[in-house]
Amino acid sequence: MRQTIVAGNWKMNASKEMVNTLIMGVLSGMDTVKARVIVCPPFPYLSQAEALATHSQLQIGAQNLSPNAAGAFTGEVNAEMIKDFGVTYVIVGHSERRTLYGESDEIVAEKVRAALENDLTPLLCVGELLAQREAGNTEAVVAQQINAVIKRVGVEAFKNIIIAYEPVWAIGTGVVATPKQAQDTHAFIRNLLTEHDTNIAQGVPILYGGSMNPDNAQELIGCEDIDGGLVGGASLKAHDFLRICRAG
Ligand code: 13P
């Protein structure tokens, strides 16, 4: 049995006051949550979030990392720094990084390597654009994204990776994938890993992301190969986020 995992991606939304209110709000409802819960604030707030979540079940993740070790990379943050704050997860290859900041499958694979080498668990995001889905290329796109990571770190590494399937057309649009659309792609991803190693394929958590909210979470997470959610907008309200956390 795979444990349900719900992660909140706050994207570029935070203030000191908001971090306080949101984390305290989530913590206040955690005693009735069985899922593993992670929140991913922007870099400057990781320390504050980590301090608030100490001695609780709530885990903290970063939203990005540099593939490089320390050095002359102005504006970048590496895995060691993230780990230094007691943070244990990092989102890698979010579609906003891929499309707005030109992160190729190869760069994403390097970031996964850097995270794993520093004992951070990558939340590896994959997903197709609307045009790619309409052209019938969803599986080819997702396979290419996953295969680039397998090529770089090997399939064994997926023992320590969480996959998030986020169809780009469903992100921030209010257009959620149907449970069947999501389940089909999740099953495809698991089958792709099964071709390499059945145990790893059965163990890897695959989360769904894209307009998940308290009203649709239960049906999505109820699907056989959907092990939780990577939640954007709805993770910014403690009450909504907690309802999703309880959906598993
Ligand atoms: P929304 O839940 O706002 O659609 O965002 C999903 C997402 O991108 C999570 O990483």
Side-chain angles (χ1 to χ4, degrees):
M1 264 302 274
R2 294 179 296 268
Q3 187 194 13
T4 300
I5 301 173
V6 179
N9 174 9
W10 293 4
K11 309 194 179 185
M12 200 169 72
N13 300 289
S15 65
K16 283 195 270 186
E17 193 185 331
M18 178 182 146
V19 173
N20 208 47
T21 309
L22 192 44
I23 298 228
M24 294 314 278
V26 172
L27 287 176
S28 72
M30 281 293 283
D31 49 347
T32 51
V33 170
K34 293 194 192 75
R36 193 189 324 171
V37 182
I38 306 161
V39 293
C40 304
F43 285 132
Y45 300 95
L46 287 178
S47 176
Q48 185 190 353
E50 177 54 28
L52 288 165
T54 309
H55 306 307
S56 80
Q57 297 283 88
L58 181 64
Q59 318 243 15
I60 307 297
Q63 296 176 15
N64 183 28
L65 82 166
S66 166
N68 299 300
F73 301 99
T74 301
E76 291 288 280
V77 173
N78 69 29
E80 273 180 71
M81 297 171 187
I82 293 168
K83 212 173 108 182
D84 210 12
F85 285 106
V87 170
T88 42
Y89 296 86
V90 60
I91 297 172
V92 180
H94 191 278
S95 70
E96 286 148 21
R97 304 279 338 154
R98 292 178 188 264
T99 56
L100 301 174
Y101 301 98
E103 289 189 12
S104 63
D105 292 340
E106 288 67 33
I107 292 173
V108 171
E110 276 306 321
K111 291 186 171 196
V112 169
R113 177 206 46 79
L116 291 170
E117 279 177 6
N118 289 280
D119 300 321
L120 295 174
T121 302
L123 286 137
L124 168 64
C125 300
V126 297
E128 81 288 359
L129 303 166
L130 182 59
Q132 293 168 327
R133 171 163 284 266
E134 287 176 345
N137 291 333
T138 297
E139 293 186 352
V141 169
V142 169
Q144 189 178 315
Q145 291 168 334
I146 301 264
N147 284 332
V149 176
I150 296 177
K151 187 171 163 209
R152 184 67 188 87
V153 297
V155 78
E156 280 281 309
F158 279 76
K159 279 184 185 156
N160 299 309
I161 291 174
I162 298 170
I163 297 172
Y165 168 59
E166 300 205 303
V168 180
W169 46 271
I171 295 178
T173 57
V175 181
V176 65
T178 65
K180 180 172 174 3
Q181 284 174 321
Q183 165 59 27
D184 285 352
T185 310
H186 282 232
F188 170 78
I189 293 169
R190 206 175 298 286
N191 287 338
L192 190 141
L193 291 168
T194 303
E195 286 168 23
H196 295 267
D197 187 309
T198 309
N199 286 336
I200 286 173
Q202 282 308 311
V204 69
I206 310 177
L207 315 185
Y208 168 81
S211 299
M212 188 179 263
N213 63 38
D215 297 325
N216 61 34
Q218 192 144 21
E219 205 184 346
L220 286 160
I221 298 176
C223 296
E224 188 180 344
D225 289 294
I226 303 183
D227 304 314
L230 181 54
V231 186
S235 74
L236 298 173
K237 290 192 186 124
H239 179 73
D240 286 355
F241 186 58
L242 281 167
R243 281 181 62 201
I244 297 174
C245 294
R246 292 190 192 105

